[in-house]
């Protein structure tokens, strides 16, 4: 089988499953729909790994499969293609592996849902859109996949459409992403204006020649490359939930837990990081845009980590963790360490999918309770889930031993990001210093909220079914925690009054496999992604102008820089142990006091309230003004309604002349005759 045929089957297998389950699911039944979609995703996953090993080993050179013409308008030409190089091969592995495991996991998690064919069709549609995105050879196909994952995420987040909160969350995600996409579209237009093409293979060779071209707007001069890259990055901010456009991400937890794992672990939210790395030849010649990426990524990293400290919904804690980890990836790309950013994207896919699916297993074990304040002492009730959640936590907190380089996946990739920022700052990049400081602080915060989740969920005293004593917390939980609507079905099968129980093996096997990746993916692929073998691994798929220098210097780090992430990680662990194990209840008392700092973090820096006032309320006011004042009073009042009212008045007045009495009509006729004779006599007299 040729490489071209293999990658074509890989990309189109998910959409075939989506069509079969979506159009014929009711005819073929639940089991057949699940089997078809899951089987095709496993098939795609196997082909994804086959492609990955062949491409990075050099057995397959980079190639592009041109399938069909897409758009051909003058110089604006787009062809539906499948571009295969090391960068797209990494994404193929990430997307197909996580999606296949999510499909398998969903067999158990959605076992009582009556709409399984629709759910599995949406999952496969989402996967196809992501595969179209990561294999695009031009910006138009990239945009097609970009919007495709946006549509599929809307359908998946709002899957339980009978819940108002799910509908609101889906709409919020859709609208916020459209804001980012407006910038993305302008970035594509600017790129086409600058290069005369949207094909990546034609854009990249031209970059050095026009890197210093300036766009003049009035008295303001702007480097064209910076303008294009900043606009493109605005699209990434929306898709990857970066600061200012992050508000949709925690609300997306309204979807089923497998959806959270699929969207937040390896697919939609990483599309922005992938796009920046894909366009690294452009960003390398856009210093202002790189600084913007670095600052926004670092601020997002710190912001999301602080908010995660005070959340009580287990899925929202992991969601804010995703937001923070994406910030790490972006600031690494901003300082030019693109291989390190992609390495963290790769390892993050394993441990974040593990944490989300593990959280789903906890929710199932707790009969769909998501509030960590109502858990505790679960470690011996669900030992397998506890073990894999521990592995995920050790991976995300980057536990490892510097010097001898032994650790979990996050140890290799996250330390590479922080070290790259340090060297960028040492080379005179001011934002690199900022990113390094933020990265170290966020590592400590990540450790605290991650171990807080473990301790509140699995240790301490059992709080099953006990009321929360903090009235404010109880009120907040009603708004923050939305139990997924499988509890009734679970109770109907006799589990509602039982102790927490381990979930079925269809859910446990995927998280066990992800635990293997979370433990060993960093050590196995470290040399290829960022080590001595990176040139052979990437084979020109990423710009190495800056990254080569930064990654070479990682081997010569000062000792204090090498040990700083592990030190703050240990401090975070000890602090979480002190507050939630040694002195259990201190955290609850801090929350009960509702102090300024706790309220600020618990309410997510009040971004939702601020946006409600600034954007939502003002938009409603403007809409009411244009509707009631402009449309109804002005346009309708002077237009259709005014003409109608005048016609009605004239008709009503005229109707009064129609009395129905013959003598009235005879009198009018007599007046007419008299008038006619009078005119005739007057005219004759002249």
């Amino acid at each position: 089988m040729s490489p071209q045929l293999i990658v074509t089957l890989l990309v189109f297998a998910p959409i075939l499953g989506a069509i079969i389950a979506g159009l014929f699911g009711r005819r073929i039944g639940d089991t057949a729909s699940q089997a078809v979609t899951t089987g095709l995703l496993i098939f795609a996953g196997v082909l994804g790994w086959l492609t990955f090993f062949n491409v990075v080993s050099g057995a397959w050179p980079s190639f592009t499969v041109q399938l069909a013409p897409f758009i051909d308008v003058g110089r604006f030409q787009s062809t539906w293609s499948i571009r295969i190089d090391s960068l797209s091969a990494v994404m193929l592995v990430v997307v197909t592996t996580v999606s296949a495991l999510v499909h398998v996991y969903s067999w158990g998690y959605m076992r009582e849902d009556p709409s399984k064919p629709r759910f599995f069709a949406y999952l496969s549609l989402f996967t196809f859109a992501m595969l179209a995105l990561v294999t695009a050879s031009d910006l138009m196909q990239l945009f097609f996949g970009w919007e495709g994952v946006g549509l599929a995420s809307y359908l998946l987040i709002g899957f339980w459409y009978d819940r108002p909160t799910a509908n609101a969350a889906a709409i919020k995600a859709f609208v916020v992403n459209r804001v980012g996409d407006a910038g993305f579209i302008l970035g594509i237009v600017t790129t086409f204006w600058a290069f005369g093409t949207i094909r990546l293979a034609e854009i990249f060779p031209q970059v050095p020649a026009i890197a210093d071209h300036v766009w003049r707007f009035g008295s303001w001069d702007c480097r064209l490359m910076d303008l294009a890259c900043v606009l493109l990055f605005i699209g990434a901010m929306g898709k990857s939930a970066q600061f200012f456009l992050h508000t949709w991400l925690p609300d997306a937890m309204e979807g089923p837990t497998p959806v959270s794992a699929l969207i937040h672990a390896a697919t939609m939210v990483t599309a922005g990081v992938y796009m920046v790395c894909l366009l690294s030849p452009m960003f390398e010649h856009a210093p202002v845009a790189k600084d913007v990426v670095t600052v926004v990524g670092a601020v997002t990293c710190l912001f999301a980590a602080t908010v995660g400290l005070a959340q009580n919904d287990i899925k929202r804690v992991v969601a804010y963790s995703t937001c923070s980890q994406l910030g790490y990836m972006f600031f690494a790309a901003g300082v030019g360490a693109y291989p390190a950013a992609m390495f963290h994207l790769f390892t993050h896919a394993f441990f974040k999918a593990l944490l989300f699916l593990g959280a789903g297993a906890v929710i199932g074990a707790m009969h769909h309770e998501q509030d960590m304040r109502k858990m505790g002492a679960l470690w011996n009730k669900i030992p397998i889930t506890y073990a894999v959640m521990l592995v995920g936590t050790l991976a995300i907190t980057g536990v490892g031993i510097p010097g001898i380089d032994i650790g979990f996946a996050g140890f290799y990739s996250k330390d590479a990001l922080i070290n790259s920022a340090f060297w960028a700052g040492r080379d005179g990049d001011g934002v690199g210093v900022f990113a390094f400081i933020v990265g170290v602080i966020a590592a400590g915060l990540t450790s605290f909220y991650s171990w807080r989740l473990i301790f509140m969920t699995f240790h301490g005293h059992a709080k099953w079914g006990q009321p929360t004593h903090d009235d404010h917390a109880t009120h907040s939980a009603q708004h923050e925690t939305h139990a997924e609507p499988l509890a009734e079905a679970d109770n109907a099968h006799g589990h509602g009054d039982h102790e927490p129980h381990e979930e079925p093996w269809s859910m446990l096997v995927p998280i066990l496999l992800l635990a293997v990746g979370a433990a060993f993916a960093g050590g196995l692929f470290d040399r290829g992604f960022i080590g001595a073998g990176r040139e052979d691994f990437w084979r020109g798929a990423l710009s190495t102008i800056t990254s080569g220098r930064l990654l070479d210097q990682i081997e010569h780090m000062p000792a204090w820089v090498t040990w700083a992430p592990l030190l703050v990680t240990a401090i975070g662990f000890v602090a979480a142990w002190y507050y939630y194990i040694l002195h259990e209840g201190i955290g609850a008392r801090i929350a009960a006091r509702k102090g300024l700092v706790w309220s600020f973090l618990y309410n997510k820096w009040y971004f939702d309230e601020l946006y409600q006032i600034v954007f939502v309320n003002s938009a409603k006011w403007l809409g009411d003004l244009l509707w009631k004042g402009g449309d109804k009073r002005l346009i309708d009042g002077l237009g259709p309604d005014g003409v109608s009212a005048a016609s009605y008045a004239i008709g009503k007045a005229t109707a009064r002349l129609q009395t129905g009495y013959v003598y009235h009509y005879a009198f009018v006729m007599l007046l007419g005759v008299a008038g006619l004779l009078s005119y005739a006599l007057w005219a004759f007299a002249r």
Side-chain angles (χ1 to χ4, degrees):
M1 189 181 298
S2 68
Q4 291 79 8
L5 178 58
I6 288 174
V7 297
T8 302
L9 293 174
L10 188 163
V11 171
F12 286 97
I15 192 62
L16 176 61
I19 292 172
I20 293 173
L23 298 182
F24 308 105
R26 291 187 177 181
R27 290 179 176 271
I28 64 178
D30 293 351
T31 303
S33 298
Q34 294 172 252
V36 168
T37 52
T38 305
L40 288 171
L41 252 299
I42 294 174
F43 173 69
V46 172
L47 296 184
W49 281 100
L50 176 65
T51 302
F52 172 77
F53 284 118
N54 278 285
V55 171
V56 300
S57 67
W60 293 358
S62 300
F63 62 90
T64 300
V65 181
Q66 295 189 352
L67 300 176
F70 187 25
I71 296 176
D72 189 353
V73 180
R75 292 186 302 167
F76 194 90
Q77 297 179 346
S78 174
T79 303
W80 189 272
S81 305
I82 301 174
R83 176 188 52 81
I84 297 299
D85 57 14
S86 297
L87 185 63
S88 62
V90 169
M91 293 303 296
L92 289 177
V93 165
V94 168
V95 173
T96 56
T97 301
V98 173
S99 184
L101 293 176
V102 166
H103 274 71
V104 174
Y105 179 92
S106 298
W107 279 66
Y109 195 86
M110 303 295 289
R111 59 190 178 275
E112 301 297 342
D113 195 279
S115 302
K116 286 189 283 292
R118 180 167 62 93
F119 180 76
F120 279 82
Y122 289 170
L123 287 182
S124 294
L125 175 63
F126 186 100
T127 306
F128 166 73
M130 193 66 195
L131 293 176
L133 189 159
V134 301
T135 58
S137 63
D138 60 57
L139 294 178
M140 199 64 227
Q141 184 182 332
L142 181 69
F143 184 70
F144 171 86
W146 197 269
E147 295 303 295
V149 293
L151 169 64
S153 67
Y154 170 80
L155 297 173
L156 287 167
I157 295 169
F159 177 75
W160 287 314
Y161 54 82
D162 56 339
R163 298 166 57 188
T165 52
N167 289 326
I171 293 172
K172 186 176 184 179
F174 197 82
V175 170
V176 173
N177 273 275
R178 298 292 75 72
V179 175
D181 290 349
F184 191 59
I185 293 170
L186 292 175
I188 294 175
V189 172
T190 304
T191 303
F192 175 71
W193 174 41
F195 294 96
T197 180
I198 58 171
R199 292 174 174 171
L200 302 178
E202 297 173 1
I203 290 173
F204 295 157
Q206 299 183 55
V207 170
I210 68 168
D212 296 323
H213 285 196
V214 174
W215 178 65
R216 176 162 293 175
F217 182 75
S219 60
W220 181 53
D221 291 339
C222 176
R223 294 181 75 253
L224 195 57
M225 199 65 63
D226 281 315
L227 177 63
C229 290
V230 167
L231 289 171
L232 291 167
F233 176 63
I234 291 174
M237 289 174 64
K239 198 65 68 182
S240 296
Q242 293 300 283
F243 198 64
F244 292 125
L245 296 180
H246 66 276
T247 53
W248 68 269
L249 190 70
D251 288 18
M253 297 300 100
E254 289 292 340
T257 296
V259 172
S260 304
L262 187 61
I263 292 178
H264 293 244
T267 49
M268 177 173 165
V269 295
T270 60
V273 179
Y274 165 77
M275 186 267 289
V276 172
C277 293
L278 173 66
L279 302 180
S280 57
M282 294 175 60
F283 277 87
E284 278 297 281
H285 291 85
V288 174
K290 287 181 65 180
D291 287 349
V292 171
V293 174
T294 305
V295 172
V296 171
V299 171
T300 305
C301 181
L302 181 62
F303 155 75
T306 60
V307 174
L309 301 175
Q311 302 307 303
N312 297 312
D313 185 314
I314 188 171
K315 288 175 63 177
R316 285 178 180 253
V317 174
V318 184
Y320 277 109
S321 170
T322 298
C323 194
S324 182
Q325 297 300 309
L326 289 167
Y328 272 112
M329 300 176 207
F330 273 114
F331 80 59
V335 300
Y338 306 106
M342 288 302 301
F343 188 31
H344 196 56
L345 185 155
F346 180 77
T347 60
H348 175 265
F350 291 102
F351 58 72
K352 188 50 60 66
L354 169 61
L355 289 171
F356 265 117
L357 297 185
V362 172
I363 293 169
M366 289 297 297
H367 314 297
H368 305 280
E369 175 59 65
Q370 297 178 206
D371 192 336
M372 295 187 300
R373 294 166 299 182
K374 299 179 181 179
M375 299 180 186
L378 293 176
W379 69 272
N380 59 346
K381 302 296 182 184
I382 46 175
I384 298 176
T385 302
Y386 173 61
V388 296
M389 288 290 283
L390 273 181
V391 172
T393 300
L394 292 167
I396 195 173
T397 55
V399 173
I401 303 175
I404 60 175
D405 290 338
I406 294 178
F408 291 83
F411 163 72
Y412 297 91
S413 58
K414 188 161 68 174
D415 280 19
L417 306 180
I418 295 174
N419 294 342
S420 297
F422 171 80
W423 278 114
R426 193 163 181 173
D427 290 345
D429 187 352
V431 296
V433 176
F434 174 67
F436 168 72
I437 295 172
V438 167
V440 173
I441 295 173
L445 299 177
T446 300
S447 178
F448 181 85
Y449 68 66
S450 297
W451 287 109
R452 173 179 178 265
L453 183 152
I454 292 293
F455 294 151
M456 290 182 68
T457 303
F458 295 101
H459 294 279
H461 294 89
K463 308 172 188 67
W464 316 328
Q466 296 179 11
T468 303
H469 298 294
D470 179 10
D471 292 337
H472 175 74
T474 302
H475 176 74
S476 300
Q478 293 173 354
H479 291 79
E480 180 188 21
T481 304
H482 306 284
E484 301 192 357
L486 298 180
E488 293 180 4
D490 199 28
N491 293 338
H493 282 71
H495 300 299
D497 298 325
H498 291 183
E499 287 190 344
H501 56 279
E502 202 74 83
E503 290 298 280
W505 282 103
S506 61
M507 295 172 62
L508 296 179
V509 169
I511 58 179
L512 287 170
L513 293 175
L514 289 169
V516 175
F520 301 110
L524 290 175
F525 295 98
D526 173 61
R527 185 180 181 277
F529 274 88
I530 61 173
R534 64 179 180 274
E535 293 294 337
D536 292 334
F537 184 94
W538 291 111
R539 301 182 184 280
L542 293 172
S543 174
T544 57
I545 297 175
T546 303
S547 62
R549 183 181 73 255
L550 294 177
L551 295 175
D552 285 340
Q553 291 173 322
I554 287 179
E555 300 298 327
H556 310 288
M557 298 295 297
W560 70 270
V561 176
T562 302
W563 287 90
L566 183 60
L567 176 62
V568 296
T569 297
I571 293 173
F573 168 80
V574 171
W577 176 78
Y578 178 86
Y579 282 105
Y580 293 95
I581 297 296
L582 186 61
H583 298 283
E584 186 180 2
I586 290 182
R589 290 194 292 272
I590 292 174
R593 287 198 295 266
K594 307 171 191 175
L596 181 63
V597 174
W598 180 88
S599 298
F600 183 68
L601 298 181
Y602 181 79
N603 290 287
K604 302 156 287 188
W605 292 25
Y606 292 101
F607 264 99
D608 285 325
E609 291 78 4
L610 178 63
Y611 284 3
Q612 180 72 29
I613 295 172
V614 175
F615 297 112
V616 178
N617 291 348
S618 60
K620 287 182 178 179
W621 176 84
L622 180 61
D624 285 343
L625 176 65
L626 295 176
W627 167 42
K628 296 177 181 178
D631 191 25
K632 293 184 68 175
R633 295 181 182 177
L634 185 62
I635 297 175
D636 287 347
L638 297 178
D641 290 347
V643 172
S644 175
S647 300
Y648 177 77
I650 294 171
K652 187 175 181 180
T654 305
R656 294 175 180 174
L657 300 176
Q658 306 297 324
T659 64
Y661 295 108
V662 175
Y663 59 84
H664 285 167
Y665 301 147
F667 178 71
V668 172
M669 293 174 61
L670 180 62
L671 290 177
V673 172
L676 181 62
L677 290 175
S678 298
Y679 175 78
L681 292 174
W682 174 78
F684 180 77
R686 291 183 61 187

